[in-house]
Amino acid sequence: DTDLYGNENKDTYPRFRTTVTGASYEKNVSPKTFIKLTAGHSYTDEGVTGDSLVRNTNNDVTNKFRRFESELTTNKLSFTGFTRTKFNSKNSLTSGFYIDYTDFSLYNRDIYANIGRDTTRVNAKDQTTLYQAYTNWKHRFSGKFSINAGLHAQYYSLNEQFVVEPRFNMQYNFNGKHALSAGYGIHNQAQNIYTSYVQTKLPDNSVQLNNTQLDFTRSQHAVVTYDWNISEVLRVKAETYYQYLDRIPVERNPSSFAAINTGASFAPSDEDSLVNNGTGRNYGVELTIERFFNKGYYFLITSSLFDSEYKGSDGVKRNSAFNTQYVVNALAGKEWRVGRKKNYLVFNIRLTTIGGKYLTPVDLAASQQFGRTILNESRAFSEKQDPYFRTDLRISYRKEYAKSTLELAIDLQNVTNNQNIFSQSYNPRTNRIV
């Protein structure tokens, strides 16, 4: 019961490494034109192995067997640039590009020691390049009304996809305190590299890569925003939005699986032979109240009320894995000057509450029969958990010198020790869902 992930019958050994380096150059090439160029490199190495544990009647571990092993490595070179030209007080043009070249090595294997078999899910070494370019024109009709209109294009070398996406936004400033804006845009996203290279095993034991031809997932965004600057230090922002998603990868045969739920757990999705037939929608409202730091204190309150649904290949409308339905964050801080010199005592507090996750229920009868966790996929994301709650405190003492600052701080996270549910699984020893 005290195991972090509710599974006392498995040991997992993760190892993660990440490096990021980059450099940028910017210059005003003329009084009206500005350019910026950026080059970067990022490296990730994710190695994870897991063992199944064998226990005796005293619950002591008597043996262990390798259950899975994974090694995922990526090297990405990125080059971006943009230029902005202000022709006059009413017109400006911004154009740019992104080039992301990724070289990768992906390997993931499940091992079934009890029957002497294993299944390789992914085994690929390859490289892909995503090219993006955009241009955006801004026109001010007056000091109060302006529009932004542009195009964004993407080309993906993996399967030679090419898309063009229109974007549009308009803003009206009633006065110095009130502004209303509305926007619409189409956004496409390439599939995760791991998903693209999941193997399909054929009867002759050869493999095919049936996911490499998956199209971009497309989303149409519409948003309306209202800004109110109550004073120089106090601001309120309200926003409502609607997003319609299509071309989501789903299984060919009727099922609840959809690739947009990938990432809700630690495990990758190994479904193969996917097709772009899934749909989804997200809509909601957001409210932000912000007091900028002034006279020794600040606060920030953000709240979001939303609904997130999708349809898999079975055509059933379901909650997405991320449909917590609400999020509220409150952050506040106060500092006091201590003594005659520039020494400060600082106190910060953050409270977060999030609606409970929807989890796929465990099929207890099937799990008991096979001795491992089996989910009832026909009822995917139908069991709502308790809300998430967390309070963090930070207390610090800051001493300022002529050319430097010294700060001592203590962070207290989840000070109420709230137990938040992340996942659930079947424990064959206790014959319970934990």
Side-chain angles (χ1 to χ4, degrees):
D1 290 342
T2 59
D3 191 278
L4 183 59
Y5 303 116
N7 193 335
E8 63 180 24
N9 305 301
K10 182 172 67 176
D11 280 344
T12 304
Y13 308 94
R15 183 195 73 252
F16 302 111
R17 287 196 292 259
T18 302
T19 65
V20 179
T21 56
S24 64
Y25 172 80
E26 54 188 73
K27 181 178 177 62
N28 290 312
V29 295
S30 75
K32 294 184 176 182
T33 302
F34 168 83
I35 66 168
K36 182 175 182 179
L37 302 174
T38 303
H41 170 262
S42 63
Y43 168 82
T44 66
D45 180 17
E46 308 169 45
V48 183
T49 58
D51 294 336
S52 290
L53 307 181
V54 178
R55 297 178 179 272
N56 59 21
T57 56
N58 296 323
N59 202 32
D60 298 321
V61 176
T62 59
N63 207 345
K64 60 174 62 179
F65 299 96
R66 182 56 47 89
R67 179 63 181 83
F68 63 87
E69 54 189 16
S70 176
E71 188 73 31
L72 312 174
T73 303
T74 66
N75 269 292
K76 182 160 80 170
L77 295 173
S78 299
F79 189 55
T80 72
F82 78 89
T83 177
R84 180 184 298 116
T85 301
K86 185 176 181 179
F87 299 102
N88 50 49
S89 60
K90 291 188 174 182
N91 295 282
S92 62
L93 184 70
T94 302
S95 301
F97 65 90
Y98 303 86
I99 301 175
D100 292 309
Y101 168 83
T102 305
D103 179 90
F104 56 88
S105 175
L106 310 175
Y107 180 74
N108 188 25
R109 180 171 69 125
D110 288 335
I111 304 167
Y112 307 96
N114 56 333
I115 57 176
R117 293 176 55 187
D118 62 73
T119 300
T120 300
R121 305 295 184 181
V122 172
N123 186 13
K125 292 183 179 181
D126 206 347
Q127 59 277 325
T128 63
T129 305
L130 178 65
Y131 302 89
Q132 301 179 73
Y134 65 92
T135 186
N136 182 76
W137 170 62
K138 182 175 182 178
H139 177 71
R140 296 180 182 271
F141 289 92
S142 66
K144 293 184 176 182
F145 182 58
S146 63
I147 64 169
N148 284 276
L151 291 175
H152 184 273
Q154 297 190 68
Y155 174 78
Y156 194 31
S157 67
L158 175 61
N159 47 23
E160 299 181 342
Q161 297 178 76
F162 178 76
V163 292
V164 177
E165 308 158 339
R167 312 275 174 84
F168 178 81
N169 173 269
M170 57 183 179
Q171 184 177 49
Y172 186 82
N173 293 304
F174 296 95
N175 50 46
K177 292 186 176 182
H178 301 272
L180 183 68
S181 63
Y184 171 81
I186 295 177
H187 302 256
N188 288 270
Q189 185 178 48
Q191 306 306 327
N192 181 279
I193 291 177
Y194 182 96
T195 299
S196 298
Y197 283 85
V198 172
Q199 297 182 167
T200 300
K201 192 172 183 178
L202 301 179
D204 62 357
N205 289 327
S206 62
V207 297
Q208 285 184 348
L209 301 178
N210 293 328
N211 288 352
T212 56
Q213 296 305 310
L214 287 170
D215 293 334
F216 290 106
T217 292
R218 181 174 61 182
S219 177
Q220 300 184 60
H221 294 196
V223 60
V224 177
T225 305
Y226 170 70
D227 270 298
W228 179 19
N229 293 314
I230 300 174
S231 68
E232 292 184 355
V233 297
L234 187 60
R235 173 194 181 211
V236 173
K237 178 181 177 181
E239 188 169 274
T240 182
Y241 63 90
Y242 182 88
Q243 301 172 350
Y244 176 76
L245 298 88
D246 63 351
R247 302 178 184 172
I248 298 171
V250 295
E251 293 186 296
R252 295 179 185 273
N253 297 323
S255 78
S256 61
F257 173 81
I260 60 168
N261 295 314
T262 302
S265 66
F266 289 116
S269 296
D270 295 319
E271 283 73 9
D272 61 352
S273 303
L274 301 177
V275 292
N276 291 97
N277 292 339
T279 60
R281 67 173 185 175
N282 305 307
Y283 60 93
V285 293
E286 297 187 352
L287 178 67
T288 300
I289 303 174
E290 182 174 14
R291 187 192 190 278
F292 304 109
F293 185 80
N294 186 54
K295 295 182 179 180
Y297 75 97
Y298 74 96
F299 64 80
L300 173 66
I301 301 172
T302 63
S303 59
S304 180
L305 182 66
F306 61 94
D307 198 39
S308 177
E309 300 173 330
Y310 79 99
K311 288 183 180 179
S313 56
D314 58 4
V316 178
K317 184 186 294 185
R318 293 183 169 88
N319 300 294
S320 78
F322 307 99
N323 193 20
T324 60
Q325 298 182 322
Y326 70 85
V327 177
V328 179
N329 285 289
L331 180 67
K334 169 73 175 173
E335 72 174 26
W336 295 268
R337 189 165 179 170
V338 181
R340 297 180 180 179
K341 298 182 179 180
K342 292 183 178 180
N343 303 331
Y344 296 90
L345 179 65
V346 185
F347 176 82
N348 291 278
I349 183 171
R350 177 183 178 181
L351 290 88
T352 299
T353 181
I354 305 173
K357 295 176 61 175
Y358 280 99
L359 298 180
T360 301
V362 175
D363 187 329
L364 183 58
S367 299
Q368 290 171 335
Q369 179 182 354
F370 293 98
R372 58 184 175 86
T373 303
I374 296 180
L375 303 178
N376 185 349
E377 298 291 353
S378 65
R379 296 179 55 209
F381 307 111
S382 62
E383 277 194 357
K384 191 169 182 62
Q385 307 303 306
D386 293 335
Y388 175 99
F389 180 79
R390 171 172 162 173
T391 301
D392 298 338
L393 298 177
R394 178 182 173 88
I395 303 171
S396 61
Y397 178 78
R398 188 174 75 249
K399 186 175 181 62
E400 297 185 358
Y401 300 95
K403 295 183 178 181
S404 61
T405 299
L406 174 67
E407 184 177 29
L408 302 175
I410 181 170
D411 285 295
L412 306 174
Q413 300 183 355
N414 193 22
V415 293
T416 62
N417 196 31
N418 201 68
Q419 302 299 294
N420 296 302
I421 297 174
F422 177 75
S423 64
Q424 58 183 4
S425 60
Y426 169 70
N427 186 326
R429 182 182 65 84
T430 61
N431 195 29
R432 292 193 304 114
I433 296 173
V434 293

